[in-house]
Every structure is written in structure tokens, then in C-alpha cells.
């Protein structure tokens, strides 16, 4: 990939990055292992502009984190597969996928405060179970306190964060129009939203709201 294309896809807007991270519920945690890198998908919550994870205090993952603490954490979402023939009737080369991704490198820190743990777990529950159906997580509640103490909550202290939002920003006007048209005519799940995001991030065309029900892939 050329330097020009990397620059075109780079996302630096904190508002856009925060919105994306707040929408997503899982990512991949990568940890340095003794022999092999270790990567595992985990649920997370983006709370107060920081990534928090939770899990058991025991196990291989926690052993490696305690040994090093140095981790990478990636979150990505594919919005649409774009076939080559949308822009070129002969060559396979233009086939691609449009996506958003964030990569964080830093230290995984164990949260000790029961108040902070309760706040984070409450934020995670509001994300994963927005309909409610449970009593608020309160460290003053004797039913919750031993469970809060018994679970591990990790805070990722970011040393670097990079984001890529790839929606055809590098395309020339003709190919851009062909891909937009191809997505809109195909009309699969996520296609209309992807076409709108192409317009949004390129700034080339007016932005319209996508019809209800045309959500992106989860």
C-alpha cells in the first residue's frame, strides 16, 4: 500500500474514533507470550475515552498480562465487500473491502478500586444489555460487592492509537461514482450505509440519510 493511500485512510478525528469505539462491543487483545504471540477476542467497553476489559483473575491471559502488561488491542468492522467489476470489467485487482479499524498499543493495568470496577462493569452492562433487567451495579450492595472484588477489570493505558477508515477516499471521480452506484444498485445489508460513508469521508457528494433497516454487518 502506498504512502498516499495510508494518508487517505488515516482517521485523526477524535469524535469519529470515539463514536466508532463506543458502537463496538468486542475486539482482539494481543499479548506477548513466552514462545508465541497470544491473541483472543474479548468484549470491551469504551468508557471515559479508555478501553476496559473484564474477566477471570486466573488463567493464561492474566498470567501473561501480569508478566509483561504490554498489549495491543484492535477493533474492526467490515461494512461491505466491493467486487472488482464495480470499477473494472476485466481486472480482479480493484476487489476490496471497506472498513473501520482502530489499533491501540499500551499497557494493561489491573483496576483495584471497587468503585471504578463497579462503574466500568455498569457501563459494560448498559452497552451489552441496554434493556436493563437487573439492579444497578453498586459496590455498597452486599450482593454485588463480592462479585466485583472477584472479577478482574483491566484498563488499557494507550501509548499509541491509530485508526483507518477505508471507504474509497483514494479513488478518482469516475471509479468513485461507479463503486457508489454499484453499492446502491446491489442493495445488500450495509451497502447503502457504505455508500453514504464513502460520500461522508471523501466530501465529494451530498450526504443523505440511509433508509432505515440498512444497517452494517455486526
Amino acid at each position: 500500500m502506498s504512502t498516499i493511500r495510508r494518508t487517505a485512510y488515516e482517521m485523526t478525528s477524535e469524535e469519529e474514533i470515539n463514536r466508532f469505539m463506543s458502537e463496538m462491543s468486542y475486539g482482539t487483545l494481543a499479548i506477548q507470550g513466552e514462545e508465541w504471540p497470544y491473541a483472543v477476542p474479548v468484549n470491551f467497553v469504551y468508557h471515559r475515552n479508555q478501553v476496559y476489559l473484564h474477566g477471570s483473575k486466573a488463567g493464561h491471559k492474566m498470567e501473561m498480562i501480569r508478566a509483561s502488561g504490554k498489549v495491543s488491542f484492535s477493533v474492526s468492522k467490515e461494512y461491505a465487500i466491493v467486487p472488482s467489476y464495480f470499477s473494472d470489467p476485466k481486472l480482479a485487482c480493484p476487489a476490496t473491502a471497506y472498513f473501520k479499524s482502530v489499533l491501540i498499543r499500551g499497557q494493561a493495568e489491573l483496576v483495584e478500586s471497587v468503585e471504578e470496577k463497579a462503574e466500568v462493569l455498569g457501563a459494560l452492562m448498559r452497552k451489552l444489555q441496554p434493556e436493563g433487567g437487573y439492579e444497578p451495579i453498586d459496590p455498597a450492595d452486599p450482593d454485588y460487592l463480592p462479585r466485583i472484588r472477584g472479577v478482574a477489570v483491566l484498563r488499557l493505558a494507550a501509548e499509541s492509537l491509530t485508526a483507518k477508515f477505508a471507504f474509497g477516499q483514494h479513488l478518482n471521480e469516475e471509479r468513485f461514482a461507479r463503486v457508489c452506484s454499484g453499492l446502491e444498485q446491489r442493495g445488500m445489508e450495509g451497502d447503502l450505509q457504505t455508500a453514504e460513508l464513502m460520500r461522508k469521508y471523501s466530501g465529494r457528494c451530498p450526504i443523505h440519510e440511509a433508509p432505515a433497516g440498512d444497517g452494517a454487518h455486526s
Side-chain angles (χ1 to χ4, degrees):
M1 183 178 289
S2 69
T3 301
I4 293 176
R5 291 180 67 182
R6 281 200 299 269
T7 302
Y9 291 160
E10 183 182 6
M11 174 54 64
T12 58
S13 167
E14 287 190 18
E15 181 180 357
E16 290 287 346
I17 293 170
N18 289 347
R19 181 181 297 116
F20 172 63
M21 293 293 286
S22 297
E23 291 170 354
M24 302 300 290
S25 62
Y26 72 93
T28 300
L29 179 69
I31 311 167
Q32 290 182 330
E34 293 182 2
E35 296 185 49
W36 301 96
Y38 179 78
V40 59
V42 291
N43 286 118
F44 78 98
V45 64
Y46 195 64
H47 183 62
R48 300 187 186 277
N49 294 337
Q50 289 186 300
V51 169
Y52 287 90
L53 316 173
H54 81 296
S56 172
K57 287 187 173 182
H60 188 52
K61 178 177 66 178
M62 290 304 299
E63 287 175 5
M64 290 189 294
I65 287 174
R66 288 190 178 99
S68 168
K70 185 177 288 187
V71 300
S72 293
F73 185 71
S74 62
V75 182
S76 62
K77 182 176 182 178
E78 184 179 82
Y79 285 76
I81 297 292
V82 180
S84 60
Y85 53 78
F86 275 8
S87 58
D88 192 309
K90 178 182 178 180
L91 300 179
C93 306
T96 190
Y98 288 164
F99 65 90
K100 295 180 182 180
S101 68
V102 170
L103 174 62
I104 296 172
R105 296 184 179 95
Q107 293 285 323
E109 303 172 343
L110 198 60
V111 176
E112 300 292 352
S113 163
V114 292
E115 289 77 17
E116 184 177 358
K117 290 171 73 173
E119 181 181 340
V120 169
L121 294 169
L124 181 65
M125 283 299 297
R126 288 191 295 274
K127 165 171 275 192
L128 300 181
Q129 193 173 310
E131 71 275 17
Y134 59 91
E135 290 295 320
I137 298 175
D138 184 352
D141 186 329
D143 290 328
Y144 269 127
L145 182 58
R147 291 165 173 80
I148 296 170
R149 286 176 171 163
V151 70
V153 173
L154 296 170
R155 182 196 313 109
L156 300 192
E159 295 179 11
S160 69
L161 183 153
T162 56
K164 285 186 178 181
F165 286 21
F167 289 92
Q169 297 96 315
H170 68 289
L171 297 177
N172 62 34
E173 294 291 342
E174 181 181 2
R175 288 184 63 196
F176 184 91
R178 287 180 181 176
V179 172
C180 271
S181 176
L183 288 167
E184 291 168 340
Q185 290 180 29
R186 186 173 67 178
M188 292 175 61
E189 182 183 9
D191 283 352
L192 299 184
Q193 183 187 24
T194 301
E196 290 302 315
L197 291 172
M198 289 179 66
R199 296 185 177 103
K200 176 179 180 178
Y201 297 125
S202 70
R204 302 186 194 192
C205 308
I207 299 174
H208 307 286
E209 289 295 330
D214 189 62
H217 296 291
S218 299

